[in-house]
Amino acid sequence: MSSNSSSPEIRSPGAKRPRRAITPVVNSHIIITEPSKKCPRLAETSPARFHTEVICKNLRECMKYDPCSVDDARSGVVDRPIRVYADGVFDMFHAGHARALMQAKTCLPNVYLLIGVTSDRQTHELKGHTVMTEWERYEALRHCRYVDEIITDCPWRVTHDFMEEHRIDFIAHDDLPYGSDGSTDIYAPFKATGRFIATQRTEGVSTSDVIARIVRNYDHYIRRNLARGYTRKDLNINIFKEKRLLLKEQVDKAKEHIGEKRDKVVGLLDRTGRELIGKWEEKRQELIMKFIECFGKDGTFHQFIGDSTDKFRRAVSPPHPFDDAHLVSLSDDEDEEDSDDDGAGDGTFYDFDNNRSHYSGDGELPSTSSTMSSRNKNGKANSAPSSPR
């Protein structure tokens, strides 16, 4: 029978199954094309060991203490892991600590990193009170990916006996002098013998800097913890400070609420203004023509002002009783009287001061004295007309 590629392969019961070709698989940022291709190092799933564990003791006992030089370690002639030691308090483990441990781990090839952590007793005695307990500091270091072993309650000052006990090749620390126990630099002997590797400090990141930030924002953190249910006794503050901080918290919340309302109003005004501008752009020609019709030279507004001005002038300045028309009628009456008498005067005249007529037989006008005598002392006119002369 001819073989068919699609037919299943027949194998003996004890035969191994051949390996199939692996197609490229994209996993996150890693592309795997072959089974033998090495993957980038993955994070450890278990924490670092303590130096008191059996496996660490056995490792030290089976090693012969023969410190190597830096050149030998870098050249790769040493056939064992290079044991590098870094110590410290490591209070409030932060990014500066992690970066220093990374430098210690990568300063030489094939490094086994040991970390010494001081106890609470000697730290409080020689440096000051810590924020974290020694157990918390131990655990923080154990879960750093660069650490292989934790040495608890390490000595404050490293000695040659300590180096030999733990089979340490090099000490990694920043190069600044660190004085203690009457010495200006406790790492000076190891620097002189070439067993010191300097690391770089991360500027602006230290335990003192972190504590300074907390102290600077002390009220904020107190208010935050009070809001989360801590009592004033837990925070070691008196009742007056507690009430003041709670009041300040309420004031800040009110300010924040007012700020949100203000932003909403400003946004609303901005949208309204844009809408008005848009409407103005659409109807500006029509509005301009209406404005000219109303306030132009011959517009409605000027006509209204003119009519109002004329009405006001007539109201405050009425016509005089003896205007031109009245005077014309009086002159016409006098002409008629002169034409009736044929120019002969009968001595009758009209006294405008006393609103009465006077008669003089000889046709002469009364004198000024006789006219004034017709008034009494009180300025009233006499009841009887003055006698003719």
Side-chain angles (χ1 to χ4, degrees), residues 4 36-37 97-98 110 120 147 166 247 260 269 316 361 373:
N4 190 354
S36 61
K37 186 75 174 181
H97 293 145
N110 196 20
D120 287 345
V147 179
H166 293 279
L247 178 61
E260 293 176 356
L269 292 177
V316 300
S373 64

Side-chain angles (χ1 to χ4, degrees), residues 90-99 202 205-208 210:
F90 298 104
D91 191 20
M92 301 181 66
F93 188 77
H94 51 73
H97 293 145
R99 291 177 64 85
T202 303
V205 182
S206 66
T207 304
S208 299
V210 174

Side-chain angles (χ1 to χ4, degrees), residues 211-252:
I211 294 175
R213 297 177 202 171
I214 298 174
V215 173
R216 183 168 58 248
N217 300 303
Y218 171 75
D219 286 353
H220 170 74
Y221 294 115
I222 291 292
R223 286 156 48 191
R224 185 182 68 173
N225 286 357
L226 286 174
R228 292 182 177 181
Y230 286 86
T231 65
R232 62 181 183 84
K233 293 182 179 180
D234 296 333
L235 301 173
N236 194 26
I237 59 175
N238 56 46
I239 188 171
F240 301 104
K241 188 173 184 64
E242 178 189 15
K243 298 301 181 183
R244 181 176 64 83
L245 292 175
L246 292 175
L247 178 61
K248 190 174 181 180
E249 181 73 16
Q250 294 177 358
V251 171
D252 290 345

